[in-house]
Amino acid sequence: MTKKKVHIISIQETYLESISKQVKEVLGDKITIQSTTLKDLQSNTVKPGEIVLLSHDKIKGIVSQLIPKDCSCFVAKRDINFANTKELLNLPSGQKILVVNDTKLNTNETVESLRETIFEHQYIPYSPDEPIPDSVDYIVTPGERDLLPSSLPNVIDIGSRLLNLETFVTLLSYLEMEEYNSSMLRRYVKSLISQSTPNQKAEQTEKVSISKDIRNIAQYTFEDIVAVSKLMKETLEQARGLANIDHPIFIQGEDGTGKNMLAQALHNESNHADRPFISINCLSRDVDIIEKELFGFEDGGSISIGFLELAKDGTICIEGVDDFPLPLQVRLLSAIQKKSFYRLGGSRPIPFKARLITTSTKDMKELALKGKFHNELCYLLTSFLIYMPPLCERKEDFIPLIEDIKARLKRPDLTFSDEVMGIFINYEWSGNIKDLYNVISYLSALAEPIISLQSLPLSMRSSEKSEGFDTFIQSKMNAEEIIKKIEAHGFLEESIEILLAFEEGKKNREAYGRLKIKQTLEKQEIYLSEQQLRMRIEVLRELGLLIVRQGRAGSTISSKGEDFLRYISLENANEVIS
């Protein structure tokens, strides 16, 4: 009997891996599972008759335009992983607990789950727009530890939320397998325990069967790559010039810069375009799995064909080649040089005709010099190198990239406030275009005419991870220390007035110079010489309360300075002075 196929679709790759692993642990012997991120979803990705499981209801509108009409499609529901809550359960009753998640919606959902189940405590949803109660006993976060300052005490990480039991009951209904409910319950508990380590990523070394359903998956061409900046235009010009050579090509660039997209474009521009394009990622993969997937294997009368063989005279792309296991580097070098290889356990040479493209985030030549990569293989792979620049080096492409993503998501009407665009442009985007795509995908699913600051994920609403938590830290740890350092110079009242003046300037979107501050202070009957003012501003800068810029750029209050003003009112400061 043919197994029914369940197609899981999510925005975030890490979460997709986690819930796909969970579904496999519960129903892996009953169904076939395929996982796709929203950015990789095309009109032909999902096949007619498949059951589609969505990670969030906000992406349903986008997905519905790209899947066959006869597909059953429903939205998963999430809940906290109670296998991770032992520390929380062991707390004395009545604790005041702040709950922190990446968005307001997710925070509220987590609070609701905790209130319903571990009802012995008081749970407060964190909002960046409101002050944090100074009487909080603990902070709980479902796998978003990176949002919190490393120095923050009493943090309990209960791990990422997973699919809840109701989701599996619904899935069984779509599969017409309701009789399996009792067994499924035991497996569901097992799936929670399996992922009970906080922030644990889905295992990537899991033994998997090698797929025989290999097809040309090169969907992108050079026309799909946004290139307005001079740097990207030069990169694509170089890539086009290398498209038709049969020598291995190496693409270097940070995570999320579009290396695999460029590899697909190279394939589609070449004379291999009508042949297979196969991509394999080596990052954190078990050596035995990679060897079997690439070279294939023979076991008695059983033969499994590897990717190098399935690619025929098409293109094979090895992503994260810097993580390619040392024992296999010699095998790959031999396959390239001899244009043939042996299956694992085989005795007959297999022709190797495919063009090879490799990618990495690291400098391969440096790895070779350190003895971490085979020197001869490194030279062979990197002779033709293409560098994919990070987003910070191609600012001219930023707005066109956003417009391109909106078009791909079929949301050309999506509008962002000036404040949001300012945050976008100045955000570091450590994950480059992949991060940008994920954020725009999330925002495009919101039913809002204009995306405002409050709609952004928490991690983007500040320039530092600790912003929004400084009040809590200072009230618990070092507010008194800051006051003492200011008082050591004898001008606490003046310093507070200086901070208030800079805060007013920030509200008016103005960066103030010393002259403006001096004039503002004089209105408060505080008269300082140029040298005195300069000294006070320097102390506040050293304490991190001011951001001081030279020239016309002016200076402004920092987020830490704003939190400090919220912590100590001018009246309280006067009491300290008196």
Side-chain angles (χ1 to χ4, degrees), residues 298 342-343 345-349:
E298 298 180 16
Y342 291 88
R343 300 188 190 110
S347 57
R348 181 175 63 87

Side-chain angles (χ1 to χ4, degrees), residues 148-386:
L148 304 170
S150 58
S151 59
L152 203 60
N154 297 341
V155 175
I156 300 175
D157 188 346
I158 57 175
S160 300
R161 294 189 297 162
L162 299 175
L163 304 180
N164 69 0
L165 186 59
E166 182 182 345
T167 297
F168 284 96
V169 172
T170 303
L171 182 55
L172 288 182
S173 175
Y174 279 107
L175 292 166
E176 299 178 344
M177 294 169 51
E178 289 92 337
E179 75 282 354
Y180 190 59
N181 272 328
S182 58
S183 298
M184 184 270 295
L185 178 59
R186 293 191 293 271
R187 292 190 180 192
Y188 175 74
V189 174
K190 179 194 75 173
S191 75
L192 298 183
I193 297 172
S194 172
Q195 301 194 59
S196 61
T197 301
N199 234 8
Q200 178 180 355
K201 292 184 179 179
E203 295 288 341
Q204 295 181 343
T205 59
E206 188 179 14
K207 298 294 187 290
V208 295
S209 59
I210 298 173
S211 173
K212 304 298 188 300
D213 184 26
I214 300 299
R215 57 188 173 85
N216 188 330
I217 57 171
Q219 300 166 341
Y220 298 108
T221 67
F222 283 113
E223 285 67 34
D224 294 315
I225 301 176
V226 174
V228 175
S229 66
K230 180 181 178 182
L231 185 56
M232 271 307 296
K233 286 180 179 178
E234 291 174 347
T235 298
L236 295 194
E237 184 179 354
Q238 178 198 9
R240 287 180 187 273
L242 298 177
N244 276 306
I245 68 168
D246 289 327
H247 196 284
I249 294 175
F250 176 67
I251 306 173
Q252 181 181 336
E254 295 179 6
D255 283 330
T257 50
K259 297 185 293 295
N260 187 268
M261 188 178 191
L262 181 63
Q264 294 182 40
L266 282 164
H267 172 81
N268 284 326
E269 187 79 4
S270 72
N271 50 22
H272 302 265
D274 59 343
R275 294 147 200 171
F277 173 90
I278 298 175
S279 182
I280 177 174
N281 197 320
C282 296
L283 294 176
S284 303
R285 300 289 301 285
D286 185 83
V287 59
D288 294 332
I289 295 296
I290 295 177
E291 186 172 25
K292 288 180 179 179
E293 287 186 342
L294 271 182
F295 297 97
F297 64 91
E298 298 180 16
D299 185 9
S302 175
I303 296 177
S304 181
I305 299 175
F307 291 165
L308 295 182
E309 189 173 352
L310 285 166
K312 298 179 181 179
D313 52 355
T315 300
I316 179 81
C317 177
I318 301 178
E319 299 181 69
V321 71
D322 55 279
D323 217 22
F324 201 65
L326 286 168
L328 299 186
Q329 292 178 21
V330 175
R331 286 202 68 183
L332 181 60
L333 176 63
S334 174
I336 296 171
Q337 291 176 331
K338 297 179 180 179
K339 298 188 182 302
S340 67
F341 60 91
Y342 291 88
R343 300 188 190 110
L344 188 64
S347 57
R348 181 175 63 87
I350 307 297
F352 178 36
K353 300 179 181 180
R355 192 262 295 275
L356 181 64
I357 298 177
T358 57
T359 76
S360 175
T361 61
K362 299 177 181 177
D363 186 331
M364 297 296 295
K365 294 180 180 178
E366 184 177 338
L367 292 179
L369 287 173
K370 293 179 179 179
K372 296 182 178 180
F373 202 87
H374 192 288
N375 189 65
E376 190 174 355
L377 178 60
C378 174
Y379 176 79
L380 191 60
L381 295 180
T382 62
S383 295
F384 293 90
L385 184 151
I386 302 172

Side-chain angles (χ1 to χ4, degrees), residues 126 128 145-151 423 426-428 457-471 473-474 506 541 543-547 557-563:
Y126 170 69
R145 187 65 178 81
D146 289 345
L147 293 176
L148 304 170
S150 58
S151 59
I423 289 177
N426 293 307
Y427 191 63
E428 64 177 4
L458 177 59
S459 59
M460 293 192 66
R461 295 174 66 175
S462 62
S463 58
E464 301 175 2
K465 294 176 184 176
S466 60
E467 186 173 352
F469 292 92
D470 284 338
T471 301
I473 297 171
Q474 290 167 2
K506 188 171 185 178
R541 184 197 66 79
L543 291 172
L545 305 180
L546 286 182
I547 300 171
I557 190 171
S558 68
S559 59
K560 186 175 181 180
E562 291 175 307
D563 289 333

Side-chain angles (χ1 to χ4, degrees), residues 347-544:
S347 57
R348 181 175 63 87
I350 307 297
F352 178 36
K353 300 179 181 180
R355 192 262 295 275
L356 181 64
I357 298 177
T358 57
T359 76
S360 175
T361 61
K362 299 177 181 177
D363 186 331
M364 297 296 295
K365 294 180 180 178
E366 184 177 338
L367 292 179
L369 287 173
K370 293 179 179 179
K372 296 182 178 180
F373 202 87
H374 192 288
N375 189 65
E376 190 174 355
L377 178 60
C378 174
Y379 176 79
L380 191 60
L381 295 180
T382 62
S383 295
F384 293 90
L385 184 151
I386 302 172
Y387 172 72
M388 282 294 281
L391 199 50
C392 64
E393 294 181 6
R394 41 182 299 206
K395 288 290 188 180
E396 301 93 331
D397 294 322
F398 192 82
I399 302 300
L401 278 168
I402 291 180
E403 294 303 316
D404 180 69
I405 294 170
K406 286 163 56 177
R408 291 179 186 277
L409 295 172
K410 302 185 185 302
R411 282 299 310 274
D413 60 313
L414 190 63
T415 304
F416 305 102
S417 69
D418 292 341
E419 193 174 18
V420 168
M421 286 304 300
I423 289 177
F424 279 176
I425 292 171
N426 293 307
Y427 191 63
E428 64 177 4
W429 299 109
S430 57
N432 293 288
I433 300 173
K434 181 168 67 175
D435 272 2
L436 180 63
Y437 190 99
N438 288 340
V439 169
I440 302 299
S441 296
Y442 166 75
L443 296 174
S444 70
L446 302 179
E448 298 178 7
I450 299 178
I451 301 299
S452 62
L453 178 64
Q454 287 68 34
S455 301
L456 294 181
L458 177 59
S459 59
M460 293 192 66
R461 295 174 66 175
S462 62
S463 58
E464 301 175 2
K465 294 176 184 176
S466 60
E467 186 173 352
F469 292 92
D470 284 338
T471 301
F472 182 82
I473 297 171
Q474 290 167 2
S475 64
K476 295 290 185 182
M477 300 174 65
N478 64 1
E480 300 266 336
E481 183 180 348
I482 291 176
I483 293 172
K484 286 179 181 179
K485 287 182 178 179
I486 295 176
E487 284 186 318
H489 297 273
F491 48 78
L492 180 58
E493 180 182 8
E494 296 165 0
S495 297
I496 291 173
E497 288 295 342
I498 290 171
L499 289 173
L500 287 169
F502 277 115
E503 183 180 48
E504 184 64 27
K506 188 171 185 178
K507 289 178 181 177
N508 296 330
R509 299 188 177 183
E510 295 181 40
Y512 285 173
R514 284 196 300 273
L515 178 59
K516 179 69 173 178
I517 295 298
K518 194 171 185 298
Q519 293 171 345
T520 303
L521 292 176
E522 288 175 353
K523 292 179 182 179
Q524 303 297 325
E525 297 186 353
I526 298 175
Y527 300 96
L528 299 176
S529 67
E530 184 74 17
Q531 184 176 355
Q532 288 173 324
L533 180 59
R534 185 184 296 110
M535 182 183 70
R536 285 152 177 72
I537 289 176
E538 177 60 22
V539 171
L540 295 175
R541 184 197 66 79
E542 289 177 355
L543 291 172

Side-chain angles (χ1 to χ4, degrees), residues 92-108:
S93 298
Q95 299 299 304
K96 199 170 184 179
I97 297 174
L98 186 72
V99 180
V100 180
N101 209 337
D102 58 343
T103 67
K104 184 177 181 179
L105 175 63
N106 290 337
T107 299
N108 290 337

